[in-house]
């Protein structure tokens, strides 16, 4: 999990995974004498995606878009609609707004957004796309009542994990033209934690080796016949 966060630290709009802790109580500890407090240990039960917003980074590119507030862009992939906070878009050869993977961005009418590559593009806070002083289309921004219904699809995209859930129009989200949202975590923090995990693993591995050696020597000493 930590390595994946570090690998995607430069991906616009990336949302970090974090761990959910529970408490572990062994059967032996549960049978502790009355009046004592059996020790418990933290254990990672599962991981969850942190959808907190990252900082805004100006790029100056008119087709770089960042969302200020809750919401997702909708992209049309070959397997259906996917959702992303990565607003590094481009204009396709066919004159449509698309992701760098070639997925067209969906407008509020459910159709791809047409662009005239010979004209400048202006995009308002509400996602309205204008060229030559005329409204072209409005970028669809959607949100979900329960973000846990979203599952990672790869390449900074999410898909709906529950077929009965439908996206809702995002309220309060603003489209920032010429900016990109940075990842919502500090790579240095993840790197330090990854080093700590590796050291803990090495320590436990060494402890297991010492235990095996102690058992081996105990068996050799007991089995040895005194001359």
């Amino acid at each position: 999990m930590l390595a994946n966060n570090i690998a995607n630290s430069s991906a616009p709009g990336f949302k970090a995974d974090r761990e959910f802790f529970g408490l572990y109580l062994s059967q032996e500890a549960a049978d502790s004498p009355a009046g004592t407090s059996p020790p418990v240990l933290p254990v990672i039960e599962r991981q969850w995606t942190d959808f907190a917003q990252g900082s805004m980074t100006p790029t100056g590119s008119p087709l770089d878009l960042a969302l200020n507030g809750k919401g997702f862009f909708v992209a049309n992939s070959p397997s259906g609609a996917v959702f992303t906070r990565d607003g590094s878009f481009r204009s396709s050869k066919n004159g449509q707004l698309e992701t760098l993977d070639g997925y067209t961005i969906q407008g509020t009418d459910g159709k791809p957004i047409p662009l005239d590559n010979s004209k400048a593009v202006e995009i308002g806070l509400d996602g309205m796309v204008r060229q030559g002083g005329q409204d072209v289309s409005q970028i669809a921004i959607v949100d979900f009542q329960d973000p846990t219904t979203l599952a990672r699809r790869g390449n900074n995209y999410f898909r709906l994990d529950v077929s009965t859930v439908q996206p809702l129009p995002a309220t309060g989200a603003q489209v920032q033209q010429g900016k990109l949202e940075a990842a919502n975590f500090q790579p240095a923090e993840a790197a330090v934690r990854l080093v700590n995990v590796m050291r803990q693993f090495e320590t436990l591995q060494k402890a297991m080796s010492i235990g095996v050696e102690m058992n081996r020597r105990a068996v050799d000493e007991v089995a040895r016949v005194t001359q």
Side-chain angles (χ1 to χ4, degrees), residues 30-221:
D31 295 334
S32 299
T36 62
S37 299
V40 293
L41 297 174
V43 60
I44 297 177
E45 295 185 353
R46 63 182 183 274
Q47 65 188 54
W48 58 280
T49 302
D50 182 4
F51 287 102
Q53 181 172 317
S55 59
M56 300 294 179
T57 304
T59 65
S61 174
L63 295 184
D64 281 346
L65 306 177
L67 288 177
N68 183 19
K70 296 182 179 180
F72 298 85
F73 298 108
V74 185
N76 299 310
S77 74
S79 59
V82 291
F83 312 95
T84 184
R85 296 275 299 191
D86 184 355
S88 50
F89 301 145
R90 66 184 180 185
S91 180
S92 68
K93 295 180 180 179
N94 298 328
Q96 293 178 333
L97 187 65
E98 66 177 16
T99 68
L100 298 183
D101 296 306
Y103 301 163
T104 57
I105 298 302
Q106 196 175 108
T108 53
D109 57 0
K111 300 178 181 179
I113 298 172
L115 294 177
D116 187 343
N117 294 330
S118 63
K119 296 181 180 179
V121 179
E122 296 180 3
I123 301 176
L125 296 177
D126 59 352
M128 182 62 70
V129 180
R130 299 180 179 87
Q131 287 189 294
Q134 301 293 322
D135 293 346
V136 175
S137 182
Q138 188 174 12
I139 298 174
I141 309 297
V142 300
D143 197 10
F144 303 88
Q145 290 184 345
D146 184 7
T148 60
T149 57
L150 293 174
R152 291 192 185 277
R153 185 186 179 275
N155 293 338
N156 221 358
Y157 298 106
F158 294 91
R159 60 174 174 79
L160 275 173
D161 201 26
V162 181
S163 59
T164 57
V165 176
Q166 295 298 323
L168 304 172
T171 59
Q174 294 181 339
V175 179
Q176 303 283 335
Q177 186 178 16
K179 298 180 181 179
L180 288 176
E181 180 186 3
N184 64 344
F185 78 104
Q186 296 295 327
E189 175 191 354
V192 170
R193 293 189 60 195
L194 184 60
V195 171
N196 288 335
V197 169
M198 293 176 63
R199 288 179 177 174
Q200 290 173 10
F201 175 79
E202 293 171 354
T203 300
L204 292 174
Q205 191 177 40
K206 182 65 175 178
M208 292 176 64
S209 299
I210 293 174
V212 171
E213 179 63 18
M214 291 176 63
N215 290 336
R216 185 189 66 79
R217 294 186 62 180
V219 171
D220 291 344
E221 293 293 334

